[in-house]
Amino acid sequence: MTIHPAHLAESRRAFGAASALLVILIVVTTLRLPAAASDVSNFLPLHMALETLSIVVASLIFGLIWSSRHEKLPANLLWVASAFLAVALLDFLHVLTLPGMPDFIVPGSTARSTGFWLAARLVGALGLLAAVWLPWRTRPARMPLSGWQLIGLLLVFGVTVLLFRAPAWLPATYIPGWGPTGFTVGAEYTIVALNLLAAARLLWLMRGPRRFNAGALFAAACIMAQSEFFLTRYMGVMDVYNLFGHLYKVLAYLYLYRAVFVETVQHPYALLEESRRRLQATLEALPDLVVEMDARGRYLAVHAAQALEMSRRGSSLKGRLVEDILPPQAAGTVLAALAEAGRQGVSRGRTVSLRLGRDLRWFELSVARKPARPGGIDRYVVIARDVTQRHENEQMLRKFSLAVAQSPVSIMILDTDYRIEYVNEAYSRLSGYTGQELLGRSPTELWSPRMAESVQPAIRARIARGEPWKGELVSLDKAGREFTESVLIYPVRNADGKVTNYLSLKENITEKKQAAARIQQLSHYDQLTGLPNRMLLHEHFQYASQQFRALAVLWIDLDRFKDINDSLGHRAGDALLQEMAHRLRTALRAQDILSRLSGDDFLAILPGAGQQEAARGAQALLDAVALPLRLDGQETFVTASVGIALYPSDADQLDILLKHAETAMYRVKSDGRNGSCFFTPEMQARSARLIALGHALKQAQQRGELRLVYQPQLRLSEHRIFGAEALLRWDSPQWGAVSPAEFIPIAESSGLILSIGDWVLRTALRQVRHWLDRGLPDLVVAVNLSAVQFDQPDLPDRISRMLDEAGVPPHCLELELTEAAAMKTPETAAQKIQDLHQRGIRLAIDDFGTGYSSLSYLKRFKIHKLKIDQSFVRDIDSDVDDQAIASAIIQMARSLSMSTIAEGVETAEQLAFLRASGCDDIQGYHFSRPLEPDAFEHFVLRGVGES
């Protein structure tokens, strides 16, 4: 068993004494003593001396505890005091009743004396066992000491009455000539057991911290057990075992007295001395100046830290007044503190400043009043603590506090539960909340509902790891208005590195975000429609191509938008584009991307779309565009052409996909518009061919690759050829005969149509002049004008110069215009037509019925002829709709004093219907293909009969 270090010294002495006495016991009880040793002569005086000593010691034990009754004694000691009061009295009665002693109340006898002995030993053992078994605590006893005395006295009285008045009630304890009875021996062994039990308990308690002198009590319990063991062996009252039993009992009582003396006298004095030394050490260790003063400020004692200058003159302070030592202001503060302590008992918090050497030091005063002894004066303990560093820190903190409070940057301090502890004025101005209104709230309560729920856990997870978090938050001010903050949150640690707070620095970046959004809008979005532009489209494509295995790219071009823009104005054109953008966006899925590339070109990206989904998407776009709309009060119908390219089968780069989709869109345009088409490799080849043709066409005129052929025109009423239509042909050494349907659009889109158109006019007029010179009758040559040519402001003058240069009468030239060219700018067109008419130049509307015309403008135009498009002539012998349209055009022209000519007449049935409907002129393969100039001359001279 491990003994606690606090018991080691006492336990060693106790174990030594108990062990030594145990050795003696073993020697005495095991050796065979001579007969002379069995009877100790003069035992009675020796017995009297030992018993008297034990009675004295037992009385001292009681008296020592009685003298300390006003102290806070443990109840355990009261058990010991009351028990040993009874033990002293019982031992006294034991002495009085010994044989050989004078008769007291009754004659002395060994049996009666033994009874008192057993009662005393039993009370002592029980008292000691109770004292060590109960918790040893310093607390007031539940009963005053007099109550405990009464219990002991009553116990003594009861035993005395039994032994004196009713000894027969008790078992025999001693038989003369025989010795102690079995009852006596059993009682002795019981007492031995009780003492050993008390010793075992004490040994167990010595494992813990010291509460009392357990070592001395342990020795006492062990020795009392050995004493009783001796008495189990005696055969006569005068033998040596009885002598050793009494001697051991005296020794046990002495150890018990020592334990009580240590606890009630020696130990408290030791504690007092330790307290005095501790107080002295505390005073010496204190860095503060500690002085005692009276109420007038007179120094009575000085305990100064060695670091202070005042400690070096502490002896000179005694007896002097504070006014003589300190400056007036500091002395007044000290006297005020003394006065306050006199009224209230203590005074704290007052500060004085003193200049010690070159340094100005600050001291905080703590004053406590020491009540005076009777007849004395009150004394005051004054502690002056050097708080210079704290004062300077407070000054610095005050500066920091002002800097934080007045900082233009919004500052928020949070506790470790993410609750607001402080906000500065800048944040109050920003949010509209006062600091008091925000105290204790969570910053998340100020966030906008638009903030994602995942933001808060992300912030807490990062700062919980001790890392700063930086980002943007959208919050609401007190009025409910949103504002965006750039926020930096980082942990604040104390000197031990523990996080105590979180500091949040906030900057209102609402205006910066709005400006950035505006820049983003300008750089990435079309300003008219609000759709993403080409730059942002690339970013969307990159993301979509990474997320989806397939997607479709749709190029949407509005058909004849330029005609609408030119005829109704740019404002109406812009309104049309905005409406189309809205319709297209509505027709697409939420994940689809729509962009405006330029002009009337839109582009859609359909993520995850294959061929079938792309076809359905394109049709939905065409249906949305085709819905009627009103522009400037007019109901307008618009169609679109859609080209489709697929990722990744057609290409895996956006630029190539755009090129392919545009190629497919142009294929739709060439096929008649208002439809959709998927890109094919053949289109790529065609696109390459068109590009090559465009390059070759630029040199065709200079190389003499262009030529004109003439298709005769027949007047039905006179059965004669009255004119011809000049048709352009291109014979390329590389490409062979190139169709006009292929190269004319290239010429129009490249701008070559102007130079080619002039060449056609000059060539045709020279040919007319040649025919006239050859004796042919006056023929009218029809020449097509493109919209680009017609838009030239000096067109009438240019044509007049060409006529003059060729020497051809104006009535021999007929200019053919399309409906779209004439209706693009109706007012301007009317003026030009009027000018040409006045110059004698004839005009015809080509492909009439395929576009759209305003009849009011048509009536105002000085038009000579309407040309019925071959699309209405092709099935005119069988299609009632074509018959109705052709008849309507002929009747309308006749009512407007215009003539009509039908092109593409290829059968006798077509001719018969047209003649019956009143058509004036015809041309087509039924009579003649386009002819070379010489062949045309022979054809006219030979004439043509009626088929």
mmCIF file of all heavy atoms in Angstrom, residues 43 49 57 97 141-142 187 206 409 475 537 549 585 799 859 880 886 894:
data_model
loop_
_atom_site.group_PDB
_atom_site.id
_atom_site.type_symbol
_atom_site.label_atom_id
_atom_site.label_comp_id
_atom_site.label_asym_id
_atom_site.label_seq_id
_atom_site.Cartn_x
_atom_site.Cartn_y
_atom_site.Cartn_z
ATOM 1 N N PHE A 43 3.248 -4.897 43.400
ATOM 2 C CA PHE A 43 2.542 -4.551 42.159
ATOM 3 C C PHE A 43 1.575 -3.407 42.368
ATOM 4 O O PHE A 43 1.355 -2.594 41.473
ATOM 5 C CB PHE A 43 1.781 -5.787 41.628
ATOM 6 C CG PHE A 43 0.975 -5.493 40.395
ATOM 7 C CD1 PHE A 43 1.605 -5.333 39.161
ATOM 8 C CD2 PHE A 43 -0.408 -5.333 40.482
ATOM 9 C CE1 PHE A 43 0.854 -5.043 38.048
ATOM 10 C CE2 PHE A 43 -1.135 -5.042 39.348
ATOM 11 C CZ PHE A 43 -0.514 -4.902 38.125
ATOM 12 N N ALA A 49 0.745 3.757 40.098
ATOM 13 C CA ALA A 49 1.490 4.777 39.354
ATOM 14 C C ALA A 49 1.103 4.762 37.871
ATOM 15 O O ALA A 49 0.866 5.813 37.246
ATOM 16 C CB ALA A 49 2.982 4.533 39.528
ATOM 17 N N VAL A 57 -3.222 11.241 31.586
ATOM 18 C CA VAL A 57 -3.125 11.450 30.118
ATOM 19 C C VAL A 57 -4.513 11.494 29.496
ATOM 20 O O VAL A 57 -4.797 12.326 28.622
ATOM 21 C CB VAL A 57 -2.268 10.341 29.486
ATOM 22 C CG1 VAL A 57 -2.274 10.469 27.968
ATOM 23 C CG2 VAL A 57 -0.851 10.399 30.012
ATOM 24 N N THR A 97 -11.282 0.193 42.954
ATOM 25 C CA THR A 97 -11.900 -1.104 43.296
ATOM 26 C C THR A 97 -10.910 -2.253 43.267
ATOM 27 O O THR A 97 -11.314 -3.422 43.343
ATOM 28 C CB THR A 97 -13.048 -1.402 42.306
ATOM 29 O OG1 THR A 97 -12.521 -1.350 40.971
ATOM 30 C CG2 THR A 97 -14.183 -0.420 42.474
ATOM 31 N N ALA A 141 -19.881 20.915 15.294
ATOM 32 C CA ALA A 141 -20.554 19.692 15.742
ATOM 33 C C ALA A 141 -22.050 19.939 15.859
ATOM 34 O O ALA A 141 -22.505 21.056 16.098
ATOM 35 C CB ALA A 141 -19.996 19.248 17.088
ATOM 36 N N ARG A 142 -22.801 18.875 15.640
ATOM 37 C CA ARG A 142 -24.250 19.006 15.757
ATOM 38 C C ARG A 142 -24.705 19.211 17.201
ATOM 39 O O ARG A 142 -25.816 19.648 17.434
ATOM 40 C CB ARG A 142 -24.911 17.744 15.184
ATOM 41 C CG ARG A 142 -24.639 17.541 13.701
ATOM 42 C CD ARG A 142 -25.335 16.285 13.196
ATOM 43 N NE ARG A 142 -25.077 16.084 11.782
ATOM 44 C CZ ARG A 142 -25.557 15.054 11.080
ATOM 45 N NH1 ARG A 142 -26.299 14.119 11.703
ATOM 46 N NH2 ARG A 142 -25.274 14.935 9.810
ATOM 47 N N ALA A 187 -13.787 -10.704 25.725
ATOM 48 C CA ALA A 187 -13.947 -9.246 25.658
ATOM 49 C C ALA A 187 -12.634 -8.582 25.275
ATOM 50 O O ALA A 187 -12.602 -7.618 24.499
ATOM 51 C CB ALA A 187 -14.444 -8.729 27.005
ATOM 52 N N MET A 206 -4.186 6.877 5.345
ATOM 53 C CA MET A 206 -2.869 7.451 5.064
ATOM 54 C C MET A 206 -2.501 7.376 3.580
ATOM 55 O O MET A 206 -1.474 7.890 3.159
ATOM 56 C CB MET A 206 -1.796 6.752 5.915
ATOM 57 C CG MET A 206 -1.770 7.270 7.349
ATOM 58 S SD MET A 206 -0.353 6.679 8.285
ATOM 59 C CE MET A 206 -0.843 5.011 8.652
ATOM 60 N N VAL A 409 -14.249 51.941 -43.726
ATOM 61 C CA VAL A 409 -14.505 50.539 -44.050
ATOM 62 C C VAL A 409 -15.456 49.958 -43.010
ATOM 63 O O VAL A 409 -15.274 50.164 -41.807
ATOM 64 C CB VAL A 409 -13.193 49.733 -44.077
ATOM 65 C CG1 VAL A 409 -13.473 48.258 -44.359
ATOM 66 C CG2 VAL A 409 -12.246 50.308 -45.106
ATOM 67 N N SER A 475 -26.684 41.472 -49.146
ATOM 68 C CA SER A 475 -27.401 41.707 -47.893
ATOM 69 C C SER A 475 -28.547 42.680 -48.124
ATOM 70 O O SER A 475 -28.668 43.297 -49.194
ATOM 71 C CB SER A 475 -26.448 42.253 -46.822
ATOM 72 O OG SER A 475 -25.390 41.347 -46.583
ATOM 73 N N LEU A 537 -21.034 33.806 -76.731
ATOM 74 C CA LEU A 537 -21.474 32.549 -77.322
ATOM 75 C C LEU A 537 -20.367 31.503 -77.255
ATOM 76 O O LEU A 537 -20.628 30.322 -77.002
ATOM 77 C CB LEU A 537 -21.899 32.791 -78.774
ATOM 78 C CG LEU A 537 -22.469 31.573 -79.510
ATOM 79 C CD1 LEU A 537 -23.798 31.161 -78.902
ATOM 80 C CD2 LEU A 537 -22.628 31.893 -80.992
ATOM 81 N N ARG A 549 -22.613 15.318 -74.658
ATOM 82 C CA ARG A 549 -21.911 14.586 -75.713
ATOM 83 C C ARG A 549 -22.281 15.096 -77.093
ATOM 84 O O ARG A 549 -21.509 14.908 -78.038
ATOM 85 C CB ARG A 549 -22.240 13.099 -75.605
ATOM 86 C CG ARG A 549 -21.713 12.440 -74.341
ATOM 87 C CD ARG A 549 -22.004 10.945 -74.363
ATOM 88 N NE ARG A 549 -21.444 10.288 -73.186
ATOM 89 C CZ ARG A 549 -21.560 8.983 -72.942
ATOM 90 N NH1 ARG A 549 -22.195 8.205 -73.816
ATOM 91 N NH2 ARG A 549 -21.031 8.461 -71.856
ATOM 92 N N ARG A 585 -36.473 33.077 -78.371
ATOM 93 C CA ARG A 585 -36.120 32.680 -77.010
ATOM 94 C C ARG A 585 -37.256 31.890 -76.366
ATOM 95 O O ARG A 585 -37.019 30.887 -75.663
ATOM 96 C CB ARG A 585 -35.808 33.931 -76.198
ATOM 97 C CG ARG A 585 -35.451 33.716 -74.735
ATOM 98 C CD ARG A 585 -34.155 32.988 -74.550
ATOM 99 N NE ARG A 585 -34.355 31.530 -74.441
ATOM 100 C CZ ARG A 585 -33.389 30.661 -74.334
ATOM 101 N NH1 ARG A 585 -32.121 31.060 -74.344
ATOM 102 N NH2 ARG A 585 -33.632 29.372 -74.247
ATOM 103 N N ILE A 799 -28.169 55.829 -117.843
ATOM 104 C CA ILE A 799 -28.796 55.100 -118.950
ATOM 105 C C ILE A 799 -28.934 56.007 -120.179
ATOM 106 O O ILE A 799 -28.718 55.570 -121.330
ATOM 107 C CB ILE A 799 -30.152 54.544 -118.504
ATOM 108 C CG1 ILE A 799 -29.928 53.448 -117.423
ATOM 109 C CG2 ILE A 799 -30.926 53.972 -119.681
ATOM 110 C CD1 ILE A 799 -31.184 52.856 -116.863
ATOM 111 N N LYS A 859 -50.078 51.733 -108.974
ATOM 112 C CA LYS A 859 -50.886 52.626 -109.821
ATOM 113 C C LYS A 859 -50.128 53.906 -110.130
ATOM 114 O O LYS A 859 -50.220 54.459 -111.238
ATOM 115 C CB LYS A 859 -52.202 52.935 -109.107
ATOM 116 C CG LYS A 859 -53.131 53.825 -109.909
ATOM 117 C CD LYS A 859 -54.418 54.067 -109.158
ATOM 118 C CE LYS A 859 -54.152 54.886 -107.893
ATOM 119 N NZ LYS A 859 -55.430 55.278 -107.218
ATOM 120 N N VAL A 880 -55.972 25.239 -111.402
ATOM 121 C CA VAL A 880 -56.970 26.317 -111.404
ATOM 122 C C VAL A 880 -56.466 27.531 -110.637
ATOM 123 O O VAL A 880 -56.831 28.676 -110.957
ATOM 124 C CB VAL A 880 -58.299 25.822 -110.803
ATOM 125 C CG1 VAL A 880 -58.926 24.739 -111.703
ATOM 126 C CG2 VAL A 880 -58.091 25.262 -109.394
ATOM 127 N N ALA A 886 -53.028 34.063 -112.935
ATOM 128 C CA ALA A 886 -52.632 34.641 -114.230
ATOM 129 C C ALA A 886 -53.747 35.507 -114.799
ATOM 130 O O ALA A 886 -53.501 36.620 -115.317
ATOM 131 C CB ALA A 886 -52.267 33.527 -115.207
ATOM 132 N N ARG A 894 -54.624 45.240 -117.495
ATOM 133 C CA ARG A 894 -55.466 45.890 -118.516
ATOM 134 C C ARG A 894 -56.212 47.065 -117.920
ATOM 135 O O ARG A 894 -56.322 48.133 -118.539
ATOM 136 C CB ARG A 894 -56.427 44.868 -119.116
ATOM 137 C CG ARG A 894 -57.307 45.404 -120.249
ATOM 138 C CD ARG A 894 -58.060 44.269 -120.880
ATOM 139 N NE ARG A 894 -57.119 43.318 -121.525
ATOM 140 C CZ ARG A 894 -57.495 42.126 -121.986
ATOM 141 N NH1 ARG A 894 -58.754 41.726 -121.847
ATOM 142 N NH2 ARG A 894 -56.611 41.335 -122.540
#
